[in-house]
Amino acid sequence: AGLRASPSQRTRPSACGFGSPYVCPQKAPLRDLANARYPTLAAGCSGVLISTPQFPSREETPMKDQADIYEKITNSIIEAIEAGCGKLEMPWHTFGLLPTNASNHRRYRGINVLALWTVASRRGFKTNLWATYQQWHELGAQVRKGERSATVVFWKFYGEEHEAEDEHSENKTGTRCFARAYHVFNADQVDGFTIPELPQLPDAQRIERAEHFFGNTGIRIIEAGGRACYNPQADEIHMPPFALFKKADFFYSTLAHETVHATAHASRCNRQLGNRFGSDLYAAEELIAELGSAFLSAELELDTEPRSDNAPYIENWLRVLKNDRRAIFTAASKAQQAVDWLASRQNCERAA
């Protein structure tokens, strides 16, 4: 749906580019990072990457204090936001590959993506592969002495063996759950492991895939004007013309942001945030859109850039996160839910 040209009919982006949302190049473009990728493909989904939950092994050691889990991860993200706010470089802008478990090849989800991106950026890791100490041992690798672990969190459901990366899964079953932290190390912290090199899609195929992905969502997209936005009253996305962007990736990563906003509609994810965020509702929705577009851009292998229009929200985000140590967990969960809904539309449209 929408008034759009096919990728083959696109006008080449102009040299000047669509500059208002973008102020500086990404520090670590996807092409410069480790290209080991472990895609789990949705059946019959024409190569669209769909994340699969990653479940920890029994050798992982849980933290005892739930408050420590929330506080540790939240504080790490706050520090990253404060460190990057001068250049508008948020922790989700600096490392584009989705974190993946090196042992079972499953991708991390939700808050764990953001937590591991934050650690990878701060410590300068160039690979997206993570595993527990025991998992690295089983792979024939050894974590180097003195290396510090990163924390990921899963939710254990009372009376069940099942663990999930989304605490809000309890809403579906009514079962209470509690957080458990596990400790993982990056492939850059171990010896005896060779990162596999897998081919990346050519640029033309990446852009074609992105075009089909957003086209399959069924959300109306209109290319006109000079501002990207989602209109909830008309339930449609407005995008500046493709030719005004500096490169094709930036068109689609911006479109990802607006498409995540569109998932808040009652017919999609029906996102209700008022009870949790109150007067900070609008800033919280912007944070969800930022996280969701980062997750989605990583799935689709799209380069991204910091957005200057995020500047007014940074102070609000910091205030919310400092006042509520679980706020970033909720935002990441809602962002993952949005990405999951958009991914589910790929199967629906293909079946139709």
Side-chain angles (χ1 to χ4, degrees):
L3 309 177
R4 315 180 63 202
S6 68
S8 61
Q9 297 172 316
R10 294 290 195 192
T11 303
R12 184 178 181 137
S14 64
C16 61
F18 176 54
S20 58
Y22 309 110
V23 294
C24 61
Q26 184 178 347
K27 290 174 76 173
L30 297 181
R31 69 176 72 88
D32 295 336
L33 300 174
N35 63 359
R37 307 181 70 85
Y38 296 93
T40 302
L41 301 180
C45 200
S46 187
V48 174
L49 301 179
I50 308 298
S51 295
T52 304
Q54 186 269 339
F55 298 97
S57 68
R58 291 303 166 195
E59 289 77 16
E60 293 165 311
T61 304
M63 281 176 110
K64 295 181 180 180
D65 191 346
Q66 290 190 58
D68 287 346
I69 301 173
Y70 294 114
E71 187 172 355
K72 181 177 181 178
I73 292 177
T74 296
N75 287 346
S76 176
I77 294 169
I78 288 173
E79 290 173 6
I81 292 175
E82 290 178 333
C85 64
K87 296 182 179 179
L88 301 179
E89 293 177 349
M90 300 294 97
W92 50 88
H93 291 151
T94 54
F95 201 91
L97 297 174
L98 283 173
T100 300
N101 186 277
S103 177
N104 56 34
H105 301 172
R106 292 173 178 168
R107 290 177 171 176
Y108 294 91
R109 292 164 52 84
I111 189 63
N112 289 333
V113 175
L114 181 55
L116 294 178
W117 273 348
T118 300
V119 173
S121 175
R122 184 173 66 247
R123 301 187 191 175
F125 297 149
K126 299 302 182 183
T127 170
N128 64 328
L129 301 179
W130 301 82
T132 66
Y133 186 95
Q134 180 63 27
Q135 286 174 328
W136 283 122
H137 177 74
E138 293 169 355
L139 290 170
Q142 178 62 50
V143 177
R144 289 188 291 272
K145 186 176 180 179
E147 293 287 353
R148 292 174 296 152
S149 65
T151 302
V152 293
V153 61
F154 290 79
W155 278 266
K156 173 72 175 179
F157 294 84
Y158 286 102
E160 301 180 16
E161 289 298 315
H162 174 64
E163 286 182 311
E165 290 186 80
D166 182 1
E167 64 176 319
H168 299 288
S169 297
E170 64 178 324
N171 295 333
K172 300 176 183 178
T173 63
T175 304
R176 293 180 60 195
C177 62
F178 59 94
R180 300 176 68 174
Y182 297 86
H183 307 288
V184 294
F185 296 87
N186 188 270
D188 285 351
Q189 298 175 282
V190 307
D191 295 320
F193 179 78
T194 302
I195 299 174
E197 293 188 5
L198 301 179
Q200 291 183 313
L201 283 178
D203 286 350
Q205 291 184 33
R206 284 192 308 103
I207 298 309
E208 184 79 25
R209 180 176 63 184
E211 178 71 18
H212 286 305
F213 184 94
F214 292 108
N216 285 342
T217 66
I219 301 169
R220 181 173 172 81
I221 303 166
I222 299 174
E223 289 182 38
R227 178 171 174 259
C229 65
Y230 167 64
N231 183 335
Q233 286 73 37
D235 188 28
E236 61 188 21
I237 293 170
H238 290 252
M239 288 288 294
F242 181 84
L244 296 183
F245 287 79
K246 289 181 284 187
K247 60 185 297 186
D249 288 51
F250 299 159
F251 174 88
Y252 290 105
S253 60
T254 300
L255 178 57
H257 179 101
E258 303 307 332
T259 303
V260 172
H261 276 313
T263 64
H265 193 273
S267 66
R268 301 181 186 106
C269 295
N270 192 25
R271 199 152 52 242
Q272 302 293 330
L273 302 176
N275 290 338
R276 184 59 188 258
F277 295 101
S279 61
D280 292 310
L281 174 63
Y282 193 80
E285 173 61 26
E286 279 300 315
L287 180 57
I288 291 168
E290 274 290 281
L291 296 178
S293 63
F295 297 166
L296 190 51
S297 293
E299 288 273 13
L300 297 173
E301 302 177 60
L302 298 171
D303 285 353
T304 63
E305 279 190 315
R307 297 174 54 135
S308 59
D309 53 355
N310 281 339
Y313 301 113
I314 293 177
E315 183 178 349
N316 299 72
W317 294 342
L318 288 171
R319 184 181 64 253
V320 170
L321 267 58
K322 289 177 180 179
N323 291 338
D324 182 356
R325 66 175 183 267
R326 298 180 64 161
I328 191 63
F329 288 73
T330 298
S333 175
K334 296 295 186 182
Q336 186 66 64
Q337 182 186 43
V339 172
D340 290 346
W341 186 90
L342 293 168
S344 73
R345 294 297 300 169
Q346 310 308 306
N347 282 334
C348 292
E349 291 299 321
R350 189 168 180 84

